[in-house]
Amino acid sequence: MANEASLDTLPPLSGARLIGATIVLALAVFMNVLDVSIANVSIPTIAGDLAVSASQGTWIITVFAVCNAVTVPISGWLSRRFGQVRLFVFCTLLFTLFSWLCGFASNFELLLTFRGLQGAAAGPMIPISQSLLLACYPREKRGLANGIYGMTAVVGPIAGPILGGWITDHINWSWIFYINVPVGLVVAPACWLLLKDRETPVRREGVDLVGLVLLIIGVGSLQVMLDQGADKAWFQSDYIITLGVVAAIFLCVLVIWEWTAERPIIDIHLFRDRNFAVGTILLCLGYMVFFGAIVILPLWLQTGMGYTATWAGMATASMGILGVVASPLAGRLSDKVDARYLVTFGFFVFASVSFYNSHANPFITFEQIFLPRLPWGIGTAFFFIPLMAIAFSRLPTSELAGASALLNFLRQLFLGFGTSFATTLWDNRTSFHDHRLNSHLTPFDPATHQWLQQLQNQGLSLEQSQRLLANEVSHQALIMSTNDVFYVSGWIFAALMLVVWLAKSTQEESAAATAQAR
């Protein structure tokens, strides 16, 4: 079309139009990221209302994740086929429609159908919104744009369970989907009005059908395996083993096919760029460990410390509060300082906080849980946003959509890895500590005998004393396993501090790109 131009040749926006576009795109990202986790705490209520078991109810999460994981990596091809602005507006409208239909669903089968369609529509929204946002800013201010994007992406997963729990408890679970409707009805037309003259060129290229089939089967199998593995005892289940084998075969063939295909649906050649490869790998690994901690903390507080879902959510919120403030700062500094220093600082904060929080005890208070985790938000901002700056530092604007799609696709997969790894490690270490502690509890152990005798002296029977002792052992095992998870997280972040220096300086790349543009 005549009014379409390459994003590389379009001037950046300024003034009120830039502010408006930034707000609209940030709202879309927040709405999308929030929806990934907002339904998690509502599963028992939804399952009860729709007359299914709690284990069946988890498919609400799995179906969304599978469909989302399939459409995220093909966002680059879709944007070339239909144009970035059109694709974003269309997906936002579909996401809004399917959100309304999810809340309106009268049975579980309909909810799963609409939830899957909602996940598919949500897939392209994240990478395309990031590509459009970066194109609105000059190259030397991409860090600031990434900071704004990262602020919503960091806070969303933490805000989701809190908001979802409150809505479910005080209104109705349908409203965790209905709240997307007014946001979507504002974002879609506003985005079209602000950015329609910045539409990207459309190329009528064919569909890589082989790559698409390999992607759907491979990613779908992997995502179902990650979401259902813990409930099926992982590789003790033939079902999980089959999914793992299918995922491994199809994803390996996918990589080979896409590397040699003339018009690949996923541009794997982007990994030839060292900064994109290092930035993507580190962001995925860091996000994996970060999200694992978000999952484990409320689980421990509710199962081991007697917290309600609301209070567990409040305690978890401290991990993202300062991220709201730190994200724009980290983004702005990414434009002025070599991003490798910022990432090193972010990982150092994460490692330090993780090691500090690996010493919890049975008498820990809410304040002792909440306050030490506040720096976590700073660490998140200072590794998440500068790593995006590193990943995109050497790429032309025309490749941002495909690069963002690939990065966010892998980040989404590693989110599943992080959840599965953290919960499996937590469960295994809980069993280990429980068995180890129980091995010392014999009638011949003086400490055990004394503890039981003291309880009986207070009027409890021997059976009651033994039951209380067993509960205390379980309580201690949960605390020790939680400490182990944070301890392992600390060492992973410490190792990542070294790997970031494999990337090239973003300041040198930015200067070279600016000189080339002139």
Side-chain angles (χ1 to χ4, degrees):
M1 294 178 65
N3 64 328
E4 292 176 346
S6 170
L7 288 178
D8 289 303
T9 62
L10 286 173
L13 298 179
S14 61
R17 191 178 175 195
L18 176 61
I19 295 173
T22 301
I23 292 173
V24 166
L25 293 171
L27 271 176
V29 173
F30 183 74
M31 175 179 67
N32 194 308
V33 175
L34 186 75
D35 221 69
V36 174
S37 59
I38 195 172
N40 294 14
V41 294
S42 306
I43 295 300
T45 303
I46 297 174
D49 284 357
L50 299 181
V52 296
S53 66
S55 59
Q56 287 178 293
T58 59
W59 279 97
I60 296 170
I61 301 171
T62 302
V63 167
F64 182 94
V66 169
C67 295
N68 187 266
V70 169
T71 56
V72 168
I74 64 174
S75 301
W77 175 81
L78 288 172
S79 68
R80 294 191 299 272
R81 183 68 176 78
F82 301 104
Q84 289 188 29
V85 179
R86 290 192 199 91
L87 177 63
F88 179 77
V89 171
F90 181 65
C91 286
T92 301
L93 290 173
L94 284 181
F95 181 83
T96 304
L97 172 63
F98 294 133
S99 295
W100 177 76
L101 290 173
C102 282
F104 196 70
S106 57
N107 58 63
F108 189 66
E109 290 74 20
L110 277 177
L111 177 59
L112 285 186
T113 301
F114 296 138
R115 181 71 168 159
L117 293 170
Q118 184 196 34
M125 288 175 63
I126 292 288
I128 299 303
S129 63
Q130 185 176 22
S131 175
L132 291 172
L133 185 64
L134 290 174
C136 290
Y137 285 77
R139 178 177 283 272
E140 63 272 14
K141 291 186 177 181
R142 277 187 180 178
L144 176 60
N146 277 325
I148 296 168
Y149 168 84
M151 179 173 60
T152 57
V154 167
V155 176
I158 296 173
I162 300 172
L163 183 59
W166 188 89
I167 291 174
T168 303
D169 290 341
H170 295 87
I171 308 176
N172 184 278
W173 63 263
S174 297
W175 282 91
I176 65 175
F177 301 112
Y178 287 152
I179 59 172
N180 293 327
V181 175
V183 179
L185 292 178
V186 170
V187 166
C191 179
W192 179 252
L193 290 174
L194 289 166
L195 301 176
K196 63 181 179 179
D197 61 339
R198 299 174 67 82
E199 183 60 277
T200 54
V202 173
R203 285 187 277 172
R204 305 294 179 183
E205 57 185 54
V207 182
D208 177 15
L209 287 176
V210 174
L212 184 60
V213 171
L214 291 170
L215 174 71
I216 292 173
I217 297 175
V219 172
S221 300
L222 178 61
Q223 194 68 53
V224 173
M225 183 189 78
L226 292 175
D227 285 359
Q228 301 288 312
D231 295 332
K232 305 290 184 182
W234 287 105
F235 296 106
Q236 297 178 35
S237 165
D238 292 338
Y239 171 66
I240 296 298
I241 292 174
T242 302
L243 287 174
V245 171
V246 170
I249 293 174
F250 277 80
L251 290 178
C252 287
V253 175
L254 173 67
V255 171
I256 297 171
W257 176 267
E258 294 299 280
W259 188 266
T260 57
E262 183 178 351
R263 294 186 180 277
I265 201 164
I266 305 174
D267 190 3
I268 300 178
H269 294 93
L270 288 165
F271 281 107
R272 287 174 172 171
D273 182 274
R274 184 200 295 184
N275 276 20
F276 180 77
V278 173
T280 299
I281 292 170
L282 284 178
L283 193 146
C284 290
L285 291 173
Y287 202 77
M288 178 186 76
V289 183
F290 159 72
F291 202 81
I294 291 178
V295 171
I296 291 302
L297 181 60
L299 277 176
W300 165 54
L301 293 177
Q302 292 179 78
T303 57
M305 300 297 290
Y307 279 56
T308 64
T310 301
W311 279 101
M314 293 289 288
T316 308
S318 66
M319 300 168 73
I321 288 175
L322 292 183
V324 179
V325 179
S327 293
L329 175 62
R332 198 71 188 94
L333 287 174
S334 297
D335 295 324
K336 300 179 179 298
V337 181
D338 186 346
R340 295 176 299 178
Y341 290 103
L342 302 179
V343 174
T344 302
F345 171 72
F347 283 145
F348 174 77
V349 171
F350 254 114
S352 301
V353 173
S354 296
F355 284 133
Y356 182 84
N357 287 311
S358 66
H359 296 88
N361 60 71
F363 308 104
I364 192 168
T365 64
F366 177 84
E367 290 75 15
Q368 291 171 328
I369 295 171
F370 185 89
L371 295 177
R373 286 171 172 79
L374 281 173
W376 205 295
I378 298 175
T380 305
F382 274 85
F383 92 77
F384 188 81
I385 290 144
L387 278 176
M388 286 195 293
I390 290 174
F392 299 140
S393 61
R394 305 174 67 194
L395 300 177
T397 308
S398 57
E399 292 185 358
L400 287 179
S404 179
L406 184 55
L407 185 149
N408 281 284
F409 161 64
L410 293 173
R411 180 173 65 87
Q412 191 75 9
L413 281 186
F414 274 78
L415 183 150
F417 281 126
T419 302
S420 300
F421 171 75
T423 52
T424 301
L425 176 64
W426 190 62
D427 288 339
N428 290 342
R429 296 301 292 177
T430 299
S431 299
F432 168 79
H433 289 300
D434 189 87
H435 292 154
R436 188 169 64 87
L437 291 173
N438 275 303
S439 67
H440 297 284
L441 302 181
T442 68
F444 307 102
D445 179 57
T448 303
H449 179 75
Q450 181 181 2
W451 204 85
L452 291 172
Q453 190 61 50
Q454 287 177 346
L455 291 177
Q456 292 177 70
N457 291 339
Q458 296 174 15
L460 296 179
S461 67
L462 177 60
E463 183 180 352
Q464 289 173 325
S465 301
Q466 290 174 335
R467 189 182 304 116
L468 193 60
L469 179 58
N471 291 338
E472 182 63 26
V473 167
S474 298
H475 179 49
Q476 293 277 359
L478 284 171
I479 294 175
M480 296 169 75
S481 63
T482 303
N483 288 342
D484 290 346
V485 171
F486 281 104
Y487 186 73
V488 171
S489 299
W491 280 113
I492 293 175
F493 282 120
L496 296 182
M497 289 169 58
L498 304 176
V499 180
V500 70
W501 292 94
L502 295 176
K504 293 183 178 180
S505 169
T506 54
Q507 291 300 101
E508 294 176 4
E509 298 301 328
S510 178
T514 303
Q516 185 177 3
R518 291 174 180 172

